[in-house]
mmCIF file of all heavy atoms in Angstrom:
data_model
loop_
_atom_site.group_PDB
_atom_site.id
_atom_site.type_symbol
_atom_site.label_atom_id
_atom_site.label_comp_id
_atom_site.label_asym_id
_atom_site.label_seq_id
_atom_site.Cartn_x
_atom_site.Cartn_y
_atom_site.Cartn_z
ATOM 1 N N TRP A 196 -74.326 -245.784 57.574
ATOM 2 C CA TRP A 196 -74.031 -244.661 58.514
ATOM 3 C C TRP A 196 -75.057 -243.618 58.316
ATOM 4 O O TRP A 196 -75.399 -243.115 57.263
ATOM 5 C CB TRP A 196 -72.653 -244.026 58.176
ATOM 6 C CG TRP A 196 -71.484 -244.868 58.584
ATOM 7 C CD1 TRP A 196 -70.715 -244.760 59.752
ATOM 8 C CD2 TRP A 196 -70.829 -245.908 57.846
ATOM 9 N NE1 TRP A 196 -69.700 -245.706 59.755
ATOM 10 C CE2 TRP A 196 -69.788 -246.409 58.611
ATOM 11 C CE3 TRP A 196 -71.121 -246.509 56.621
ATOM 12 C CZ2 TRP A 196 -68.942 -247.455 58.125
ATOM 13 C CZ3 TRP A 196 -70.312 -247.542 56.151
ATOM 14 C CH2 TRP A 196 -69.260 -248.016 56.946
ATOM 15 N N VAL A 197 -75.711 -243.232 59.493
ATOM 16 C CA VAL A 197 -76.635 -242.127 59.461
ATOM 17 C C VAL A 197 -75.951 -240.772 59.211
ATOM 18 O O VAL A 197 -76.376 -239.935 58.457
ATOM 19 C CB VAL A 197 -77.452 -242.080 60.811
ATOM 20 C CG1 VAL A 197 -78.354 -240.907 60.815
ATOM 21 C CG2 VAL A 197 -78.157 -243.369 61.038
ATOM 22 N N ASP A 198 -74.746 -240.642 59.932
ATOM 23 C CA ASP A 198 -74.020 -239.357 59.844
ATOM 24 C C ASP A 198 -72.575 -239.704 59.942
ATOM 25 O O ASP A 198 -71.929 -239.554 60.969
ATOM 26 C CB ASP A 198 -74.475 -238.477 61.039
ATOM 27 C CG ASP A 198 -74.552 -239.198 62.356
ATOM 28 O OD1 ASP A 198 -74.045 -240.335 62.445
ATOM 29 O OD2 ASP A 198 -74.989 -238.636 63.326
ATOM 30 N N ALA A 199 -72.067 -240.160 58.801
ATOM 31 C CA ALA A 199 -70.630 -240.665 58.744
ATOM 32 C C ALA A 199 -69.663 -239.515 58.957
ATOM 33 O O ALA A 199 -69.691 -238.518 58.267
ATOM 34 C CB ALA A 199 -70.399 -241.331 57.402
ATOM 35 N N PRO A 200 -68.737 -239.677 59.886
ATOM 36 C CA PRO A 200 -67.741 -238.635 60.132
ATOM 37 C C PRO A 200 -66.831 -238.456 58.902
ATOM 38 O O PRO A 200 -66.237 -237.366 58.761
ATOM 39 C CB PRO A 200 -66.960 -239.193 61.352
ATOM 40 C CG PRO A 200 -67.172 -240.673 61.408
ATOM 41 C CD PRO A 200 -68.553 -240.840 60.832
ATOM 42 N N PHE A 201 -66.704 -239.516 58.110
ATOM 43 C CA PHE A 201 -65.820 -239.392 56.919
ATOM 44 C C PHE A 201 -66.574 -238.867 55.711
ATOM 45 O O PHE A 201 -66.015 -238.744 54.646
ATOM 46 C CB PHE A 201 -65.204 -240.756 56.554
ATOM 47 C CG PHE A 201 -66.217 -241.850 56.467
ATOM 48 C CD1 PHE A 201 -66.963 -242.082 55.337
ATOM 49 C CD2 PHE A 201 -66.401 -242.719 57.578
ATOM 50 C CE1 PHE A 201 -67.881 -243.092 55.308
ATOM 51 C CE2 PHE A 201 -67.409 -243.735 57.506
ATOM 52 C CZ PHE A 201 -68.137 -243.907 56.348
ATOM 53 N N ASN A 202 -67.836 -238.473 55.922
ATOM 54 C CA ASN A 202 -68.637 -237.890 54.803
ATOM 55 C C ASN A 202 -69.362 -236.618 55.278
ATOM 56 O O ASN A 202 -70.505 -236.348 54.950
ATOM 57 C CB ASN A 202 -69.682 -238.885 54.255
ATOM 58 C CG ASN A 202 -70.321 -238.474 52.984
ATOM 59 O OD1 ASN A 202 -69.679 -237.784 52.095
ATOM 60 N ND2 ASN A 202 -71.618 -238.699 52.796
ATOM 61 N N GLU A 203 -68.650 -235.802 56.084
ATOM 62 C CA GLU A 203 -69.110 -234.600 56.596
ATOM 63 C C GLU A 203 -70.466 -234.701 57.234
ATOM 64 O O GLU A 203 -71.318 -233.795 57.161
ATOM 65 C CB GLU A 203 -69.176 -233.476 55.398
ATOM 66 C CG GLU A 203 -67.836 -233.270 54.797
ATOM 67 C CD GLU A 203 -67.901 -232.241 53.674
ATOM 68 O OE1 GLU A 203 -69.020 -232.087 53.105
ATOM 69 O OE2 GLU A 203 -66.922 -231.672 53.313
ATOM 70 N N GLY A 204 -70.633 -235.814 58.006
ATOM 71 C CA GLY A 204 -71.834 -235.944 58.836
ATOM 72 C C GLY A 204 -73.020 -236.393 58.051
ATOM 73 O O GLY A 204 -74.181 -236.253 58.541
ATOM 74 N N ARG A 205 -72.802 -236.883 56.832
ATOM 75 C CA ARG A 205 -74.005 -237.245 55.999
ATOM 76 C C ARG A 205 -74.012 -238.837 55.887
ATOM 77 O O ARG A 205 -73.059 -239.462 56.263
ATOM 78 C CB ARG A 205 -73.991 -236.596 54.646
ATOM 79 C CG ARG A 205 -74.280 -235.090 54.700
ATOM 80 C CD ARG A 205 -74.323 -234.494 53.340
ATOM 81 N NE ARG A 205 -72.977 -234.451 52.700
ATOM 82 C CZ ARG A 205 -72.127 -233.484 52.843
ATOM 83 N NH1 ARG A 205 -72.491 -232.411 53.503
ATOM 84 N NH2 ARG A 205 -70.957 -233.529 52.241
ATOM 85 N N GLY A 206 -75.122 -239.312 55.242
ATOM 86 C CA GLY A 206 -75.290 -240.757 55.182
ATOM 87 C C GLY A 206 -74.391 -241.491 54.159
ATOM 88 O O GLY A 206 -73.903 -240.915 53.211
ATOM 89 N N VAL A 207 -74.140 -242.734 54.458
ATOM 90 C CA VAL A 207 -73.314 -243.607 53.588
ATOM 91 C C VAL A 207 -73.916 -245.001 53.629
ATOM 92 O O VAL A 207 -74.262 -245.497 54.719
ATOM 93 C CB VAL A 207 -71.855 -243.614 53.971
ATOM 94 C CG1 VAL A 207 -71.059 -244.625 53.140
ATOM 95 C CG2 VAL A 207 -71.247 -242.242 53.865
ATOM 96 N N TRP A 208 -74.003 -245.685 52.442
ATOM 97 C CA TRP A 208 -74.385 -247.125 52.351
ATOM 98 C C TRP A 208 -73.222 -247.861 51.753
ATOM 99 O O TRP A 208 -72.526 -247.335 50.880
ATOM 100 C CB TRP A 208 -75.582 -247.285 51.418
ATOM 101 C CG TRP A 208 -76.909 -247.195 52.125
ATOM 102 C CD1 TRP A 208 -77.727 -248.199 52.482
ATOM 103 C CD2 TRP A 208 -77.521 -245.974 52.542
ATOM 104 N NE1 TRP A 208 -78.826 -247.737 53.136
ATOM 105 C CE2 TRP A 208 -78.730 -246.353 53.125
ATOM 106 C CE3 TRP A 208 -77.195 -244.603 52.504
ATOM 107 C CZ2 TRP A 208 -79.650 -245.487 53.701
ATOM 108 C CZ3 TRP A 208 -78.054 -243.715 52.981
ATOM 109 C CH2 TRP A 208 -79.258 -244.111 53.600
ATOM 110 N N GLN A 209 -73.076 -249.090 52.185
ATOM 111 C CA GLN A 209 -71.907 -249.933 51.763
ATOM 112 C C GLN A 209 -72.429 -251.365 51.539
ATOM 113 O O GLN A 209 -72.876 -252.012 52.493
ATOM 114 C CB GLN A 209 -70.787 -249.915 52.777
ATOM 115 C CG GLN A 209 -69.633 -250.750 52.459
ATOM 116 C CD GLN A 209 -68.553 -250.579 53.581
ATOM 117 O OE1 GLN A 209 -68.063 -249.465 53.807
ATOM 118 N NE2 GLN A 209 -68.286 -251.720 54.271
ATOM 119 N N HIS A 210 -72.392 -251.828 50.283
ATOM 120 C CA HIS A 210 -72.850 -253.193 49.865
ATOM 121 C C HIS A 210 -71.913 -253.808 48.961
ATOM 122 O O HIS A 210 -71.290 -253.216 48.095
ATOM 123 C CB HIS A 210 -74.217 -253.074 49.061
ATOM 124 C CG HIS A 210 -75.387 -252.872 49.845
ATOM 125 N ND1 HIS A 210 -76.049 -253.945 50.451
ATOM 126 C CD2 HIS A 210 -76.151 -251.779 50.075
ATOM 127 C CE1 HIS A 210 -77.170 -253.452 51.049
ATOM 128 N NE2 HIS A 210 -77.200 -252.162 50.868
ATOM 129 N N LEU A 211 -71.697 -255.143 49.167
ATOM 130 C CA LEU A 211 -70.917 -255.945 48.192
ATOM 131 C C LEU A 211 -71.886 -256.540 47.176
ATOM 132 O O LEU A 211 -72.948 -256.997 47.486
ATOM 133 C CB LEU A 211 -70.172 -257.032 48.884
ATOM 134 C CG LEU A 211 -69.390 -258.028 48.002
ATOM 135 C CD1 LEU A 211 -68.264 -257.305 47.217
ATOM 136 C CD2 LEU A 211 -68.791 -259.166 48.817
ATOM 137 N N MET A 212 -71.411 -256.540 45.850
ATOM 138 C CA MET A 212 -72.211 -257.046 44.749
ATOM 139 C C MET A 212 -71.370 -258.192 44.142
ATOM 140 O O MET A 212 -70.350 -258.574 44.659
ATOM 141 C CB MET A 212 -72.579 -256.014 43.754
ATOM 142 C CG MET A 212 -73.272 -254.813 44.335
ATOM 143 S SD MET A 212 -73.623 -253.518 43.112
ATOM 144 C CE MET A 212 -71.999 -252.968 42.625
ATOM 145 N N ALA A 213 -71.803 -258.646 42.977
ATOM 146 C CA ALA A 213 -71.078 -259.673 42.220
ATOM 147 C C ALA A 213 -69.800 -259.116 41.728
ATOM 148 O O ALA A 213 -69.560 -257.953 41.577
ATOM 149 C CB ALA A 213 -71.958 -260.148 41.065
ATOM 150 N N ASP A 214 -68.836 -260.075 41.397
ATOM 151 C CA ASP A 214 -67.584 -259.800 40.773
ATOM 152 C C ASP A 214 -66.657 -258.977 41.665
ATOM 153 O O ASP A 214 -65.749 -258.282 41.159
ATOM 154 C CB ASP A 214 -67.761 -259.043 39.406
ATOM 155 C CG ASP A 214 -68.691 -259.767 38.477
ATOM 156 O OD1 ASP A 214 -68.599 -261.054 38.419
ATOM 157 O OD2 ASP A 214 -69.499 -259.146 37.746
ATOM 158 N N GLY A 215 -66.877 -259.067 42.977
ATOM 159 C CA GLY A 215 -66.035 -258.370 43.914
ATOM 160 C C GLY A 215 -66.171 -256.824 43.845
ATOM 161 O O GLY A 215 -65.302 -256.077 44.207
ATOM 162 N N VAL A 216 -67.314 -256.384 43.310
ATOM 163 C CA VAL A 216 -67.584 -254.918 43.153
ATOM 164 C C VAL A 216 -68.412 -254.443 44.373
ATOM 165 O O VAL A 216 -69.467 -255.087 44.685
ATOM 166 C CB VAL A 216 -68.309 -254.620 41.873
ATOM 167 C CG1 VAL A 216 -68.624 -253.118 41.767
ATOM 168 C CG2 VAL A 216 -67.519 -255.045 40.723
ATOM 169 N N TRP A 217 -67.958 -253.368 45.002
ATOM 170 C CA TRP A 217 -68.659 -252.765 46.127
ATOM 171 C C TRP A 217 -69.478 -251.587 45.610
ATOM 172 O O TRP A 217 -69.015 -250.799 44.794
ATOM 173 C CB TRP A 217 -67.682 -252.307 47.211
ATOM 174 C CG TRP A 217 -67.166 -253.516 48.004
ATOM 175 C CD1 TRP A 217 -66.083 -254.209 47.692
ATOM 176 C CD2 TRP A 217 -67.712 -253.985 49.200
ATOM 177 N NE1 TRP A 217 -65.889 -255.194 48.607
ATOM 178 C CE2 TRP A 217 -66.848 -255.089 49.586
ATOM 179 C CE3 TRP A 217 -68.754 -253.642 50.018
ATOM 180 C CZ2 TRP A 217 -67.101 -255.771 50.717
ATOM 181 C CZ3 TRP A 217 -69.003 -254.383 51.167
ATOM 182 C CH2 TRP A 217 -68.154 -255.466 51.514
ATOM 183 N N ARG A 218 -70.651 -251.449 46.133
ATOM 184 C CA ARG A 218 -71.547 -250.327 45.839
ATOM 185 C C ARG A 218 -71.532 -249.438 47.068
ATOM 186 O O ARG A 218 -71.981 -249.889 48.162
ATOM 187 C CB ARG A 218 -72.899 -250.792 45.500
ATOM 188 C CG ARG A 218 -74.066 -249.786 45.622
ATOM 189 C CD ARG A 218 -74.108 -248.806 44.467
ATOM 190 N NE ARG A 218 -75.350 -248.008 44.609
ATOM 191 C CZ ARG A 218 -76.483 -248.319 43.976
ATOM 192 N NH1 ARG A 218 -76.592 -249.369 43.195
ATOM 193 N NH2 ARG A 218 -77.532 -247.540 44.155
ATOM 194 N N ILE A 219 -70.987 -248.226 47.017
ATOM 195 C CA ILE A 219 -70.966 -247.310 48.128
ATOM 196 C C ILE A 219 -71.693 -246.055 47.705
ATOM 197 O O ILE A 219 -71.314 -245.413 46.762
ATOM 198 C CB ILE A 219 -69.562 -247.014 48.600
ATOM 199 C CG1 ILE A 219 -68.739 -248.294 48.919
ATOM 200 C CG2 ILE A 219 -69.553 -246.134 49.875
ATOM 201 C CD1 ILE A 219 -67.387 -248.106 49.428
ATOM 202 N N ASP A 220 -72.778 -245.740 48.437
ATOM 203 C CA ASP A 220 -73.544 -244.504 48.158
ATOM 204 C C ASP A 220 -73.241 -243.489 49.186
ATOM 205 O O ASP A 220 -73.361 -243.696 50.382
ATOM 206 C CB ASP A 220 -75.025 -244.855 48.229
ATOM 207 C CG ASP A 220 -75.541 -245.825 47.139
ATOM 208 O OD1 ASP A 220 -74.805 -246.838 46.917
ATOM 209 O OD2 ASP A 220 -76.601 -245.541 46.590
ATOM 210 N N TYR A 221 -72.867 -242.253 48.741
ATOM 211 C CA TYR A 221 -72.547 -241.184 49.592
ATOM 212 C C TYR A 221 -73.570 -240.106 49.512
ATOM 213 O O TYR A 221 -73.843 -239.581 48.354
ATOM 214 C CB TYR A 221 -71.180 -240.575 49.274
ATOM 215 C CG TYR A 221 -69.996 -241.466 49.480
ATOM 216 C CD1 TYR A 221 -69.476 -242.332 48.461
ATOM 217 C CD2 TYR A 221 -69.357 -241.581 50.728
ATOM 218 C CE1 TYR A 221 -68.444 -243.161 48.605
ATOM 219 C CE2 TYR A 221 -68.280 -242.415 50.909
ATOM 220 C CZ TYR A 221 -67.805 -243.194 49.845
ATOM 221 O OH TYR A 221 -66.699 -244.022 50.049
ATOM 222 N N GLN A 222 -74.172 -239.657 50.570
ATOM 223 C CA GLN A 222 -75.064 -238.501 50.574
ATOM 224 C C GLN A 222 -74.252 -237.254 50.359
ATOM 225 O O GLN A 222 -73.211 -237.080 50.988
ATOM 226 C CB GLN A 222 -75.868 -238.463 51.873
ATOM 227 C CG GLN A 222 -77.049 -237.471 51.842
ATOM 228 C CD GLN A 222 -77.812 -237.561 53.141
ATOM 229 O OE1 GLN A 222 -77.235 -237.820 54.220
ATOM 230 N NE2 GLN A 222 -79.119 -237.264 53.083
ATOM 231 N N MET A 223 -74.746 -236.351 49.465
ATOM 232 C CA MET A 223 -74.020 -235.162 49.138
ATOM 233 C C MET A 223 -74.821 -233.897 49.607
ATOM 234 O O MET A 223 -75.978 -234.007 49.816
ATOM 235 C CB MET A 223 -73.813 -235.129 47.594
ATOM 236 C CG MET A 223 -72.924 -236.240 47.078
ATOM 237 S SD MET A 223 -71.140 -235.912 47.367
ATOM 238 C CE MET A 223 -70.812 -236.970 48.740
ATOM 239 N N PRO A 224 -74.189 -232.794 49.576
ATOM 240 C CA PRO A 224 -74.888 -231.493 49.819
ATOM 241 C C PRO A 224 -75.980 -231.312 48.771
ATOM 242 O O PRO A 224 -75.818 -231.658 47.589
ATOM 243 C CB PRO A 224 -73.799 -230.431 49.754
ATOM 244 C CG PRO A 224 -72.532 -231.165 49.973
ATOM 245 C CD PRO A 224 -72.775 -232.508 49.450
ATOM 246 N N GLU A 225 -77.094 -230.770 49.157
ATOM 247 C CA GLU A 225 -78.178 -230.572 48.207
ATOM 248 C C GLU A 225 -77.801 -229.692 47.055
ATOM 249 O O GLU A 225 -78.365 -229.810 45.962
ATOM 250 C CB GLU A 225 -79.479 -230.060 48.955
ATOM 251 C CG GLU A 225 -80.127 -230.995 49.855
ATOM 252 C CD GLU A 225 -81.372 -230.507 50.537
ATOM 253 O OE1 GLU A 225 -81.692 -229.281 50.278
ATOM 254 O OE2 GLU A 225 -81.991 -231.260 51.293
ATOM 255 N N ASP A 226 -76.946 -228.714 47.312
ATOM 256 C CA ASP A 226 -76.558 -227.770 46.252
ATOM 257 C C ASP A 226 -75.288 -228.185 45.549
ATOM 258 O O ASP A 226 -74.558 -227.324 44.943
ATOM 259 C CB ASP A 226 -76.417 -226.366 46.835
ATOM 260 C CG ASP A 226 -75.368 -226.314 47.941
ATOM 261 O OD1 ASP A 226 -74.868 -227.397 48.315
ATOM 262 O OD2 ASP A 226 -75.060 -225.160 48.417
ATOM 263 N N CYS A 227 -74.904 -229.451 45.593
ATOM 264 C CA CYS A 227 -73.625 -229.888 45.061
ATOM 265 C C CYS A 227 -73.597 -229.768 43.519
ATOM 266 O O CYS A 227 -74.645 -229.789 42.848
ATOM 267 C CB CYS A 227 -73.294 -231.314 45.479
ATOM 268 S SG CYS A 227 -74.466 -232.526 44.765
ATOM 269 N N ASP A 228 -72.417 -229.641 43.030
ATOM 270 C CA ASP A 228 -72.120 -229.746 41.576
ATOM 271 C C ASP A 228 -72.017 -231.200 41.193
ATOM 272 O O ASP A 228 -71.038 -231.864 41.557
ATOM 273 C CB ASP A 228 -70.864 -228.964 41.260
ATOM 274 C CG ASP A 228 -70.530 -228.969 39.760
ATOM 275 O OD1 ASP A 228 -70.993 -229.864 39.055
ATOM 276 O OD2 ASP A 228 -69.805 -228.092 39.343
ATOM 277 N N THR A 229 -73.047 -231.780 40.515
ATOM 278 C CA THR A 229 -73.087 -233.165 40.262
ATOM 279 C C THR A 229 -71.868 -233.638 39.394
ATOM 280 O O THR A 229 -71.436 -234.805 39.571
ATOM 281 C CB THR A 229 -74.366 -233.576 39.633
ATOM 282 O OG1 THR A 229 -74.599 -232.849 38.421
ATOM 283 C CG2 THR A 229 -75.502 -233.423 40.549
ATOM 284 N N ALA A 230 -71.411 -232.815 38.503
ATOM 285 C CA ALA A 230 -70.227 -233.220 37.735
ATOM 286 C C ALA A 230 -69.009 -233.286 38.563
ATOM 287 O O ALA A 230 -68.206 -234.153 38.434
ATOM 288 C CB ALA A 230 -70.105 -232.221 36.568
ATOM 289 N N ALA A 231 -68.879 -232.299 39.465
ATOM 290 C CA ALA A 231 -67.678 -232.251 40.293
ATOM 291 C C ALA A 231 -67.619 -233.428 41.272
ATOM 292 O O ALA A 231 -66.543 -234.061 41.434
ATOM 293 C CB ALA A 231 -67.639 -230.892 41.069
ATOM 294 N N ILE A 232 -68.747 -233.767 41.930
ATOM 295 C CA ILE A 232 -68.679 -234.898 42.897
ATOM 296 C C ILE A 232 -68.447 -236.194 42.248
ATOM 297 O O ILE A 232 -68.122 -237.204 42.924
ATOM 298 C CB ILE A 232 -69.979 -234.922 43.725
ATOM 299 C CG1 ILE A 232 -71.164 -235.251 42.873
ATOM 300 C CG2 ILE A 232 -70.148 -233.663 44.519
ATOM 301 C CD1 ILE A 232 -72.486 -235.494 43.648
ATOM 302 N N SER A 233 -68.664 -236.313 40.963
ATOM 303 C CA SER A 233 -68.455 -237.563 40.259
ATOM 304 C C SER A 233 -67.094 -237.730 39.617
ATOM 305 O O SER A 233 -66.835 -238.780 39.041
ATOM 306 C CB SER A 233 -69.537 -237.692 39.142
ATOM 307 O OG SER A 233 -70.789 -237.513 39.609
ATOM 308 N N ARG A 234 -66.254 -236.727 39.751
ATOM 309 C CA ARG A 234 -64.830 -236.841 39.184
ATOM 310 C C ARG A 234 -64.117 -237.956 39.914
ATOM 311 O O ARG A 234 -64.210 -238.066 41.169
ATOM 312 C CB ARG A 234 -64.127 -235.536 39.211
ATOM 313 C CG ARG A 234 -64.693 -234.472 38.330
ATOM 314 C CD ARG A 234 -63.622 -233.406 37.945
ATOM 315 N NE ARG A 234 -63.127 -232.828 39.178
ATOM 316 C CZ ARG A 234 -63.562 -231.675 39.650
ATOM 317 N NH1 ARG A 234 -64.575 -231.025 39.037
ATOM 318 N NH2 ARG A 234 -63.086 -231.119 40.759
ATOM 319 N N PRO A 235 -63.322 -238.782 39.239
ATOM 320 C CA PRO A 235 -62.608 -239.821 39.931
ATOM 321 C C PRO A 235 -61.724 -239.373 41.070
ATOM 322 O O PRO A 235 -61.686 -240.051 42.094
ATOM 323 C CB PRO A 235 -61.738 -240.450 38.851
ATOM 324 C CG PRO A 235 -62.518 -240.154 37.559
ATOM 325 C CD PRO A 235 -63.162 -238.743 37.768
ATOM 326 N N GLU A 236 -61.079 -238.232 40.950
ATOM 327 C CA GLU A 236 -60.189 -237.789 42.035
ATOM 328 C C GLU A 236 -60.989 -237.435 43.277
ATOM 329 O O GLU A 236 -60.545 -237.562 44.409
ATOM 330 C CB GLU A 236 -59.304 -236.664 41.586
ATOM 331 C CG GLU A 236 -60.016 -235.379 41.132
ATOM 332 C CD GLU A 236 -60.351 -235.350 39.619
ATOM 333 O OE1 GLU A 236 -60.401 -236.483 39.045
ATOM 334 O OE2 GLU A 236 -60.634 -234.273 39.119
ATOM 335 N N VAL A 237 -62.222 -236.826 43.048
ATOM 336 C CA VAL A 237 -63.050 -236.522 44.188
ATOM 337 C C VAL A 237 -63.625 -237.777 44.852
ATOM 338 O O VAL A 237 -63.660 -237.882 46.053
ATOM 339 C CB VAL A 237 -64.218 -235.564 43.684
ATOM 340 C CG1 VAL A 237 -65.144 -235.255 44.846
ATOM 341 C CG2 VAL A 237 -63.606 -234.229 43.124
#
């Protein structure tokens, strides 16, 4: 997604890997708190 509506208009990548594990990359705001965006609930 160039501008995913479910990611506040930012990019998203979605790939399947081995063992049934998906790799999903979400583009974040440039000034984001990296610890906060990585919390499981977020």
